[in-house]
Amino acid sequence: MNMITNHMPTAELQALDAAHHIHPFSAQGELAKKGARVIMRAKGVTLTDSEGEEILDGMAGLWCVNIGYGRDELAEVAARQMRELPYYNTFFQTTHVPVIALSAKLAELAPGDLNHVFYGGSGSEANDTNMRLVRTYWAQKGKDSKKVIISRKNAYHGSTMAGASLGGMSGMHAQGGLPLPDVHHINQPNWYAEGGDMTPEEFGLQRARELEEAILEMGEDRVAAFIAEPVQGAGGVIVAPDTYWPEIQRICDKYEILLIVDEVICGFGRTGNWFGCQTLNIRPDIITVAKGLSSGYAPIAASIVSDEVAEVIGGCEFNHGYTYSGHPVAAAVALENLRILEEEKIVETVREDTAPYLKEKWEALADHPLVGEAKIVGMMASVALTPNKETRAPFAADVGTVGLICREHCFGNNLIMRHVGDRMVISPPLVITKEEIDTLIERARRALDLTLAQLKEEDLLK
Ligand code: PMP
């Protein structure tokens, strides 16, 4: 047991944290003044902080703890694997049982002929792999000029140099000289914010055709791949209009470009099927998986590629790999997680029972005076906040001001709901019960009420 976490008062822990720990995606100075909430333990969908408060985790950590917290089976498998073989690499003509078993299992679960797995430690790493993989693929086919990867604004594909470049987050591009060369971004299919007077269907088609325009503009001989999340997660749970994906698929089929579907959030049950591409009827050449692969219990990610991609890459020495590619402990934990997902029929329960229940309750939030739209696919959902439901207008205050106020009210009411600008998003553990869904909705509604009251008081409702 760790002396620090068990014996120090919250304020001292916060002071030490502020003094020595640099938080991701945080304004360090501001956070230091306020103090980070110290999370001590968790079970099911509930976190407990250092003051003993119980918090409903509406985000499954960072969209990852799909089977819920506190599953002993995973701890036991990890301990057993650490004793048996804590580490070995697969670089130099060696392999091990956990990585063999996990690869075979993923080939069985993944759709179509996605039968070959390259491992990383995070979604960002897996997308770095994808960037190198698709360029190497085309070079192997004698088409060196096919290097450009087309992505979308407001996409999230990670935080390494390649991940952040592939992503379309302007705040990330503004720091550190990104994006890398030969990454091109088209507009996102966010009808609510950008659709204007078009119908969602017209808008979906128009945004998909930007892919075709970009390919024609740059030349088919320069474009290697298109990458996208089935449902944009970190961008605010943006669900594309129904016309979007069929058109994207048509364009990818017509031109010689690879389709990379980033399933880091959508994979392993989040959308009500094993993979988001099944929910949305997309046929990728490569998928990126992470997060739900181990339910966040161990850092592991992968690129799962088609027979054809694997065959082409197999024709050369692919000079790429991470020390922790296919880490035996992480692989064993992932396998156990997949066993639980399958044997407890968690994906089926989401699809047939709990997600439809959540959908009904979530969509009812659209009645709230602050809510411009409520969107949901499986167990990922968002509401857009607005001062004017009819016009879908943004707030006059800086983007994110109102979202942050709402998030603070959620946090104050022991619900973790994230804000992306002025959209509120949830992605709870897939094992959430109907009773817990009721609690989540009750707290979300209370946070919306408190936000509305505060906006009126501070004259921000405009
Ligand atoms: N792709 C998507 C779609 C993601 O949501 C994320 C993380 N939120 C990543 C990639 C990056 O994963 P990681 O944080 O594990 O590097």
Side-chain angles (χ1 to χ4, degrees), residues 198-260:
M198 276 186 233
T199 65
E201 292 71 27
E202 288 164 355
F203 178 74
L205 272 183
Q206 191 215 55
R207 285 288 155 102
R209 287 184 185 149
E210 284 195 19
L211 174 61
E212 190 160 33
E213 286 156 26
I215 295 167
L216 293 173
E217 207 166 290
M218 280 181 279
E220 199 180 321
D221 60 331
R222 286 194 54 214
V223 182
F226 175 62
I227 183 169
E229 306 152 77
V231 175
Q232 285 157 263
V237 184
I238 309 297
V239 184
D242 290 344
T243 48
Y244 182 78
W245 275 108
E247 186 65 3
I248 291 284
Q249 186 73 57
R250 180 192 69 77
I251 295 163
C252 290
D253 289 347
K254 178 169 176 191
Y255 301 93
E256 252 198 323
I257 63 170
L258 296 170
L259 176 55
I260 308 168

Side-chain angles (χ1 to χ4, degrees), residues 316-371:
C316 70
E317 183 174 328
F318 184 36
N319 294 316
H320 176 65
Y322 310 109
T323 298
Y324 299 135
S325 288
H327 191 285
V329 177
V333 168
L335 261 176
E336 183 66 2
N337 172 61
L338 297 179
R339 184 193 66 75
I340 289 174
L341 277 173
E342 266 193 320
E343 286 187 12
E344 297 183 6
K345 300 198 180 320
I346 292 172
V347 182
E348 290 88 333
T349 303
V350 165
R351 181 172 57 239
E352 285 153 27
D353 194 24
T354 46
Y357 186 79
L358 175 62
K359 182 175 161 74
E360 194 190 319
K361 308 254 160 184
W362 188 260
E363 287 179 342
L365 292 176
D367 297 345
H368 194 277
L370 266 186
V371 173

Side-chain angles (χ1 to χ4, degrees), residues 149-153 164-168 173 179 183-187:
I149 301 173
I150 301 177
S151 178
R152 307 183 295 181
K153 291 177 187 161
S165 297
L166 292 172
H173 292 173
V183 180
H184 178 83
H185 298 87
I186 58 174
N187 285 304

Side-chain angles (χ1 to χ4, degrees), residues 63 122-125 127 156-158 229 262 264-265 290-291:
W63 327 74
S122 67
S124 304
E125 283 180 14
N127 279 328
Y156 192 86
H157 297 299
E229 306 152 77
D262 186 335
V264 168
I265 287 176
K291 298 189 189 278

